[in-house]
Amino acid sequence: MNRSRTDSFIPAAVKLPADLPPLWGRLSFLSPVEAELVSHFKLPRGKIVELSFELGRAPFEALRARVKTALRDGDGYYNYCLVFLDPAQSALLKSAIAEAAPGL
């Protein structure tokens, strides 16, 4: 699979299932099936989160994803690989990615 990086980070809110305020991070990679998130907040592998962000003109709210991997870098940031769980949300995301970056 040809993995394209975003030209810039996409700010994202990360909501946990508990009734807590959202955490914040940045998406460094985005595809219809997975994303890479960079954040100062620690999330355990296997945790289910909801992401909210904007891609082009399309706002996305509460995209359900599972933390597949979690690595901490030397600067104290956590780098997460997230896998999207809802096929309908993935289909909408696929359309928005195609519209935001034609030709990729």
Side-chain angles (χ1 to χ4, degrees):
M1 177 167 109
N2 184 6
R3 293 175 50 111
S4 299
R5 296 261 171 211
T6 57
D7 289 338
S8 61
F9 290 110
I10 299 170
V14 182
K15 181 123 175 67
L16 303 173
D19 195 19
L20 300 172
L23 308 175
W24 293 93
R26 302 175 307 212
L27 298 175
S28 60
F29 170 78
L30 183 61
S31 82
V33 294
E34 65 183 9
E36 289 179 5
L37 175 76
V38 179
S39 180
H40 268 298
F41 299 100
K42 184 176 181 179
L43 300 169
R45 196 174 87 208
K47 184 77 169 175
I48 294 177
V49 299
E50 293 181 350
L51 292 179
S52 296
F53 58 91
E54 290 185 13
L55 180 61
R57 294 183 220 158
F60 285 90
E61 296 291 330
L63 269 75
R64 290 177 34 89
R66 181 183 314 276
V67 177
K68 182 177 174 182
T69 61
L71 299 171
R72 190 166 188 196
D73 67 19
D75 294 325
Y77 286 93
Y78 292 93
N79 295 277
Y80 299 103
C81 179
L82 306 175
V83 177
F84 294 116
L85 301 175
D86 185 326
Q89 289 178 330
S90 291
L92 292 172
L93 186 54
K94 181 177 180 178
S95 295
I97 291 171
E99 186 176 308
L104 286 182

